[in-house]
Amino acid sequence: MADEETVIIGAGPAGLACAAALRARGRRSIILEATNRLGASWRRHYDRLHLHTDKSHSALPGRPMPADYPKYPSRLQVVDYLESYAWANDLHILTDKTVACIAKKTDWIAETTDGDVFQATAVVIATGLSRTPVRPHWTGQDNFPGAIIHSSEYRNASALGAGRILIVGFGNSAGEIALECAEAGLDVAMSVRGPVNIVPREMFGVPSATIAIVQQRFPYRMIDAFNAPFLHLRYRDIEELGLKRCRQGPLTRMIEQGRTPLIDIGTIAKIRDGRIRVYPGIELSEGANVFFANDRSAEFDAIVLATGYTPSLETLLPNLTERFSNAGKPARGELQPGNDGLYFCGFNPATTGLLRQIGIEASQIANSIAAVGTQAVLFRRS
Ligand SMILES: Cc1cc2nc3c(=O)[nH]c(=O)nc-3n(C[C@H](O)[C@H](O)[C@H](O)COP(=O)(O)OP(=O)(O)OC[C@H]3O[C@@H](n4cnc5c(N)ncnc54)[C@H](O)[C@@H]3O)c2cc1C
């Protein structure tokens, strides 16, 4: 049994930022990481991925991204940055340590799948919003003759080895994978079930996340009302593209429902010029033929489920599910819902960028742990 002041679960950006923030306050911590290297999510993501938040607002506290990085760094540059961040902050990471469950005795106890037990006065859950892929099911799916993969398994268009691709979903992974497949000359369609919000990565040359940072001092509904004419000017009537416009603006929907808008890097132009077709939700499939909610059907060789993830916290904290009844994660803004040394970092998506948000939360959590006794940490936007 190892006895630490703070055990951090997960060596992604959130876990690393919390450990560095604690170290900056003279506090020891240990990070337990399930895979064999830090930054596992960024190593796994599809090849083409670049940050959609600019580098000046995506760095973790205390270490800017390198000056020679582009404005929107690539996935591998993010991985290199995370490695240099851990090295520069001399972080203590134990790899191949999958935490199976966390329970409160006198202290917090984290037990790994290989039988190790870690005891600490504080535990930070930094296992990410994208722990478990969500895969929808429909009648006939098992008889589809081609590959059906989740976006977490997608690498690039050529690795799909298929000509007619259906991408299910309309989040950022869906939009970028559809764009890549269209640019590679594949026959691409998207199945989009519900209403959508779309924002460009930049407006008038300024990153949308930067605009969101400037605007966040105003009430979110007011910001959405202010931005609506600009978004309409940019995207015109998206209903004529087969998409349903969301009645709530992007910020309102993110804050009230935790749903992020599509950050457009060219997908909408490809839909407009007919290179990407849009269908509604899938009803069923018969062989390679997929039937949609508007009674239309089409044949496909492969399907990519870009249908998101769930954080699956209930499996980690089976006795504490009341702490995160909100879709399997803590209620928005809660960093320490029980005020008892159990913290959550990285579960508050923000239009200002989750990486930036993680940095803010890490500092607040480290301040709380470094203070004597337990102190409630409340979410603050800044
Ligand atoms: C495709 C994609 C693109 C994104 N692009 C941006 C962007 O441009 N800008 C931005 O600000 N945000 C972006 N985000 C959102 C967010 O910043 C990233 O998901 C970021 O990696 C979140 O960091 P995290 O540490 O919370 O989670 P993760 O990076 O997912 O790290 C969690 C870590 O916990 C480990 N782990 C999980 N379970 C256990 C366990 N039981 N025991 C031990 N270890 C465990 C995992 O192996 C992993 O290493 C993006 C997200 C996705 C999915």
Side-chain angles (χ1 to χ4, degrees):
M1 178 183 289
D3 196 354
E4 302 288 339
E5 183 183 49
T6 303
V7 168
I8 299 170
I9 322 292
L16 301 179
C18 287
L22 282 165
R23 194 167 193 281
R25 290 156 182 79
R27 296 303 177 124
R28 284 182 305 121
S29 69
I30 187 169
I31 305 179
L32 307 179
E33 166 55 42
T35 70
N36 62 354
R37 284 190 290 179
L38 62 79
S41 301
W42 286 91
R43 292 178 199 277
R44 261 195 318 259
H45 288 322
Y46 47 91
D47 297 346
R48 166 193 173 117
L49 180 66
H50 283 66
L51 285 180
H52 55 254
T53 50
D54 64 295
K55 68 171 179 177
S56 60
H57 293 114
S58 305
L60 300 178
R63 191 170 174 86
M65 290 201 172
D68 61 352
Y69 272 23
K71 190 173 183 183
Y72 299 101
S74 70
R75 175 182 74 87
L76 291 178
Q77 286 171 322
V78 173
V79 171
D80 285 347
Y81 169 76
L82 294 177
E83 281 190 340
S84 73
Y85 190 84
W87 179 82
N89 286 292
D90 195 17
L91 304 183
H92 185 190
I93 304 171
L94 289 186
T95 55
D96 294 313
K97 290 285 169 212
T98 303
V99 174
C101 70
I102 297 159
K104 175 85 171 150
K105 302 274 165 61
T106 312
D107 281 340
W108 287 99
I109 305 288
E111 210 174 321
T112 61
T113 49
D114 58 3
D116 281 352
V117 175
F118 295 81
Q119 178 174 339
T121 47
V123 175
V124 182
I125 311 292
T127 46
L129 283 169
S130 38
R131 194 157 164 242
T132 310
V134 171
R135 295 169 198 269
H137 293 280
W138 60 85
T139 307
Q141 186 176 18
D142 293 344
N143 298 323
F144 183 78
I148 302 181
I149 59 169
H150 189 267
S151 57
S152 57
E153 298 157 314
Y154 174 87
R155 296 263 53 88
N156 55 55
S158 56
L160 272 179
R164 298 167 300 176
I165 311 297
L166 176 65
I167 291 139
V168 183
F170 202 72
N172 288 308
S173 298
E176 193 162 3
I177 292 170
L179 178 62
E180 178 177 47
C181 290
E183 284 175 351
L186 306 186
D187 177 0
V188 186
M190 298 180 85
S191 166
V192 186
R193 204 175 46 178
V196 301
N197 281 121
I198 305 164
V199 297
R201 185 169 66 175
E202 293 189 352
M203 293 271 264
F204 313 113
V206 183
S208 289
T210 307
I211 297 173
I213 292 165
V214 174
Q215 292 183 331
Q216 67 178 342
R217 65 199 70 231
F218 301 103
Y220 58 86
R221 287 171 188 275
M222 184 194 282
I223 298 171
D224 273 337
F226 178 83
N227 291 340
F230 297 102
L231 294 177
H232 186 74
L233 199 67
R234 177 79 176 242
Y235 293 113
R236 291 173 276 152
D237 186 7
I238 61 166
E239 309 247 338
E240 68 189 20
L241 305 177
L243 296 165
K244 273 185 251 150
R245 196 174 65 81
C246 189
R247 276 193 308 111
Q248 295 169 306
L251 194 54
T252 305
R253 197 169 190 218
M254 181 175 252
I255 288 175
E256 293 183 357
Q257 294 173 24
R259 303 281 299 272
T260 43
L262 173 77
I263 298 177
D264 178 40
I265 55 170
T267 310
I268 302 305
K270 284 272 183 287
I271 294 176
R272 206 168 275 288
D273 72 15
R275 298 289 305 279
I276 300 173
R277 283 168 290 129
V278 175
Y279 291 100
I282 296 176
E283 292 279 285
L284 56 97
S285 60
E286 283 174 6
N289 212 5
V290 179
F291 292 82
F292 298 95
N294 60 357
D295 293 334
R296 289 168 64 199
S297 68
E299 291 198 353
F300 297 98
D301 303 315
I303 299 177
V304 180
L305 306 173
T307 38
Y309 300 86
T310 163
S312 318
L313 289 178
E314 64 285 354
T315 57
L316 267 185
L317 295 150
N319 303 320
L320 291 162
T321 43
E322 73 281 1
R323 299 272 180 93
F324 41 83
S325 52
N326 176 24
K329 60 185 168 91
R332 188 174 170 78
E334 286 182 320
L335 303 187
Q336 198 202 172
N339 195 21
D340 57 0
L342 175 65
Y343 295 85
F344 296 86
C345 184
F347 295 93
N348 289 301
T351 46
T352 48
L354 186 50
L355 288 170
R356 177 178 178 276
Q357 176 62 28
I358 280 170
I360 294 169
E361 293 180 2
S363 300
Q364 293 174 2
I365 289 171
N367 282 342
S368 170
I369 292 174
V372 180
T374 52
Q375 170 186 315
V377 177
L378 297 173
F379 170 68
R380 285 189 295 273
R381 291 205 277 159
S382 65

